[in-house]
Amino acid sequence: MVLYESLQGHTRQAAELIGGACQQAGAEVSVREVTNLDLHELAEADLLFVGTWVDGFVLFAHRPGRAYKFNALPPIDGMAVVAFNTYAIYPGGMMKKFVKLLRGKGADVIMTRQLKRNRLESEVAPFVKEALGLLVS
Ligand SMILES: Cc1cc2nc3c(=O)[nH]c(=O)nc-3n(C[C@H](O)[C@H](O)[C@H](O)COP(=O)(O)O)c2cc1C
């Protein structure tokens, strides 16, 4: 399952590319905005990709975009989670905060990846391959 928050569409595009790459690898995938969660799908998921964008002042004060939307997630105790974000120039310490938030929900964060918004096409395929590889290894 792929859950995302997106303001201008880049993270949605990343989420859709991730979903497409998972499907190509033979997985059954659902890609949803984090506010449009389906609890049944969530309960069935073997792996959860969770992504948002970087909100900061380019050089400092980086944080997960609209983190409150992820705070509203139900507990995901023990679920294997791959956290990702899109960014424009420099993501700073955003991912550390995002991982902390997800761990606070009980997530088992097994991998993280920061995707540059103008390189999504080339960065997603190797990222997904690596993430799915963690499930079988
Ligand atoms: C309010 C705001 C603050 C941002 N701050 C940063 C930043 O500090 N560093 C950075 O690399 N990108 C920053 N960005 C760019 C976004 O993180 C980037 O464009 C991202 O891909 C947007 O995802 P979206 O299209 O899904 O909203 C900022 C964007 C916005 C709207």
Side-chain angles (χ1 to χ4, degrees):
M1 183 165 195
V2 187
L3 290 179
Y4 68 90
E5 143 59 28
S6 181
L7 190 65
Q8 294 167 320
H10 297 91
T11 317
R12 183 191 316 123
Q13 190 195 352
E16 282 164 1
L17 288 168
I18 290 166
C22 289
Q23 248 172 352
Q24 273 205 331
E28 201 180 308
V29 195
S30 158
V31 180
R32 287 181 176 273
E33 271 188 77
V34 65
T35 48
N36 187 24
L37 185 64
D38 180 310
L39 289 175
H40 178 70
E41 279 176 6
L42 182 67
E44 298 277 298
D46 297 317
L47 179 64
L48 188 59
F49 288 83
V50 184
T52 188
W53 47 282
V54 176
D55 179 1
F57 290 96
V58 184
L59 290 180
F60 59 95
H62 304 94
R63 59 185 184 171
R66 289 174 163 171
Y68 63 90
K69 292 193 176 177
F70 297 90
N71 278 321
L73 274 175
I76 41 175
D77 290 337
M79 178 160 284
V81 168
V82 176
F84 69 96
N85 69 260
T86 66
Y87 69 98
I89 300 163
Y90 176 60
M94 172 276 182
M95 184 52 86
K96 212 171 154 187
K97 293 176 188 164
F98 195 35
V99 167
K100 193 171 170 196
L101 186 165
L102 295 169
R103 288 204 171 121
K105 287 282 167 192
D108 175 15
V109 181
I110 58 170
M111 184 179 165
T112 65
R113 184 59 49 94
Q114 318 220 61
L115 302 163
K116 199 164 163 74
R117 71 178 184 192
N118 59 358
R119 291 201 299 246
L120 298 179
E121 298 276 351
S122 60
E123 292 187 352
V124 163
F127 161 45
V128 169
K129 194 172 173 203
E130 206 180 309
L132 297 184
L134 290 176
L135 285 190
V136 290
S137 60

